[in-house]
Amino acid sequence: MAVVSFVVIIGNPRPGSRTARAASAVAAAVAAAADVPGTPEIIDLADLAPHLLAADPPAAVAEATAKVAAADVILVASPTYKGTYTGLLKVFLDRFGAGSLTGKAALPLLVLGAPQHALAVEVHLRPLLVELGATVPTPGLALLEADLDRLDSLAKEWAAQIPPAVRGALTAGAAR
Amino acid sequence: MAVVSFVVIIGNPRPGSRTARAASAVAAAVAAAADVPGTPEIIDLADLAPHLLAADPPAAVAEATAKVAAADVILVASPTYKGTYTGLLKVFLDRFGAGSLTGKAALPLLVLGAPQHALAVEVHLRPLLVELGATVPTPGLALLEADLDRLDSLAKEWAAQIPPAVRGALTAGAAR
Amino acid sequence: MAVVSFVVIIGNPRPGSRTARAASAVAAAVAAAADVPGTPEIIDLADLAPHLLAADPPAAVAEATAKVAAADVILVASPTYKGTYTGLLKVFLDRFGAGSLTGKAALPLLVLGAPQHALAVEVHLRPLLVELGATVPTPGLALLEADLDRLDSLAKEWAAQIPPAVRGALTAGAAR
Amino acid sequence: MAVVSFVVIIGNPRPGSRTARAASAVAAAVAAAADVPGTPEIIDLADLAPHLLAADPPAAVAEATAKVAAADVILVASPTYKGTYTGLLKVFLDRFGAGSLTGKAALPLLVLGAPQHALAVEVHLRPLLVELGATVPTPGLALLEADLDRLDSLAKEWAAQIPPAVRGALTAGAAR
């Protein structure tokens, strides 16, 4: 199996967010289910936020975009703000051209305060990843904040439901 | 390779529609690219339309739903009416319960009169298939009517862009 | 004040549906809040369903479309099936051309089994009415089935939140 | 007629953008059609961008949010980036709480590079404004970059199509 680069993007402006915790658990569950070796690399946009719209961003911003550009699999996580992903996440993804994530597999994850926003993962976040060119082979995952006390089991259940062939598409030169 | 059942649903109320022509070409291109043996089976809803909302539908309706229930891969095609898929297609798919297409791979295809409706394939048709439980591993395909004179080459280009691992997910017990 | 024609379309295939009950309550609340004289006219598609896709529909179908074509204000109500409005509703609305409801005000209403589908009223139903040309001056209303025991008070609260000028836009030659 | 505060938000990161030009023309056409006195106030986010995600933003950011909070009518304009509004616009609007624009009328405007993204104004931008609590009484306006050479006439045509009662809802204590 080829070495797979698995990157997790966390679009919550607050450091140490529930989004970060949820994304790590889902990434671990997907890596286990799909037999991805190594540890996913985390890009927490809370760290980069003050620089993302700066006129002259520090090297850390270019390093983060380079990691995404080199990834095979990307988990894209955000809380819902105003019924959709955060502006912070979109500002980061706006650094990439349309179609520039072609050949990568992307997994959309939203952490919801209210169940009323659950469709946002399919109608807002996933179309954004498709526009960027990513292959999005699974349904998006919408996790309620109220359910995060059983985060690990929810993450495992979700990863287990990914059909084996799609798990294959996530890895092993996956989308190559 | 396991035998794969590939079904094409055509949601255009007019017999012999451009949608039917486009769906057949795309199905053939996908079957060739993913090495699916046999011929896709066509369900043209133009034939079933008068019966789909009838109080006592003929056996042909139950036969059509049984074919879908037994399929491994489903190509779901519709023209855009009022900026989204047709009511005819939705009436047919409303016969299936939420989640009842779990384990099947679905490919969304819209034939557009105007490019302004292109996003409908991602924001309207694909979420419907996800709600039904299908795995939708590729982006949707939006074909302009004005481009149908080069239908075969467009279909081949689209099928060729499907990553190999996702092609695998489409077939070979694919989504099993 | 000009006489206003207020029509309610019910897109539930079952006669005597909760959708019908909810739509009637919301229509009454809107009519009271906006000071619309008379009684809204109900088009219950459960009655027309067997004929809507028939090759040779009876006069009742043409009468229903004529009522919509003559309306000033239209309340469009549906349950959520597969995370969006019903195929039955779409089949009826597909009888109207794009832009043919120009000059009419439309109010979108969905009755939800699960809160997870709440966004459907804004991302699926409202864009359909806009595509038909209708003015949709209010947010859509998403009512949970579980909340229907306090239907009348919810309907009144919603109608009361419509800004006075928008209530004016709903009536009195409203959208003229 | 009460004095109306009309604010234009421009969500393009580049100063002197086509979005800014389009927004000004549409605002002028709406103001003329709806008989709004005075001149719309412009908030060009290109000026604020470097500060919007800063840890300690300058007073100009709080002044801009105060203008929006005091507005009666808001025109919200963005180019399409990746098939939807910009991250810059969302970052600014994320400063407002859900429902905090209640009582204001909002007009959505997207400037499109490609017609394929036209639905974004209805399925992405408008639901965001509704979530913020704004009344969005008109359809969104999607302007193609290629059509900007006849911007003034397109803006006037669009403003003229707004029904008189909805124009009233935009102004005159509009949504009050």
Side-chain angles (χ1 to χ4, degrees), chain A residues 122-123 126-127 130 135-139 163-166 168-169 174-176, chain B residues 122-123 126-127 130 135-139 163-166 168-169 174-176:
Chain A
E122 291 300 327
V123 299
R126 190 189 178 275
V130 167
T135 295
V136 186
T138 73
V166 172
R176 295 290 160 81
Chain B
E122 291 299 327
V123 298
R126 189 188 179 275
V130 167
T135 294
V136 186
T138 74
V166 171
R176 294 292 161 78

Side-chain angles (χ1 to χ4, degrees), chain A residues 19 32 56 66 80 89 94-95 138 158 169:
Chain A
T19 312
D56 192 14
T80 45
L89 176 66
D94 280 349
R95 292 186 162 261
T138 73
W158 188 73

Side-chain angles (χ1 to χ4, degrees), chain C residues 119 122-123 126-127 130-131 135-139 163-166 168-169 174-176, chain D residues 119 122-123 126-127 130-131 135-139 163-166 168-169 174-176:
Chain C
L119 284 181
E122 291 299 327
V123 298
R126 189 187 178 276
V130 167
E131 190 70 26
T135 293
V136 186
T138 74
V166 172
R176 297 290 163 79
Chain D
L119 284 181
E122 291 300 327
V123 300
R126 190 188 178 276
V130 167
E131 190 70 25
T135 294
V136 187
T138 73
V166 172
R176 295 289 161 81

Side-chain angles (χ1 to χ4, degrees), chain C residues 139 157-158 160-164 166, chain D residues 68-74 96-106 128-136 169 173-176:
Chain C
E157 273 171 43
W158 188 74
Q161 287 171 3
I162 302 176
V166 172
Chain D
V68 172
D72 298 301
V73 182
I74 307 167
F96 298 87
S100 68
L101 301 190
T102 299
K104 303 174 193 313
L128 171 61
L129 301 174
V130 167
E131 190 70 25
L132 284 161
T135 294
V136 187
R176 295 289 161 81

Side-chain angles (χ1 to χ4, degrees), chain D residues 11-153:
Chain D
N12 193 315
R14 282 181 286 196
S17 62
R18 277 177 293 205
T19 312
R21 194 159 65 84
S24 293
V26 172
V30 168
D35 206 14
V36 184
T39 304
E41 184 143 25
I42 308 288
I43 298 174
D44 193 330
L45 297 179
D47 300 330
L48 298 177
H51 312 298
L52 281 176
L53 289 169
D56 191 15
V61 172
E63 285 161 18
T65 56
K67 277 178 196 165
V68 172
D72 298 301
V73 182
I74 307 167
L75 174 68
V76 181
S78 174
T80 46
Y81 278 19
K82 323 308 158 211
T84 183
Y85 49 77
T86 61
L88 175 61
L89 176 67
K90 184 65 167 35
V91 160
F92 181 68
L93 293 178
D94 279 350
R95 293 187 161 259
F96 298 87
S100 68
L101 301 190
T102 299
K104 303 174 193 313
L107 298 164
L109 167 64
L110 287 183
V111 177
L112 314 170
Q116 279 77 2
H117 295 147
L119 284 181
V121 72
E122 291 300 327
V123 300
H124 297 315
L125 180 51
R126 190 188 178 276
L128 171 61
L129 301 174
V130 167
E131 190 70 25
L132 284 161
T135 294
V136 187
T138 73
L141 175 57
L143 282 175
L144 272 173
E145 288 180 6
D147 291 338
L148 292 187
D149 53 354
R150 49 198 183 92
L151 170 61
D152 286 332
S153 63

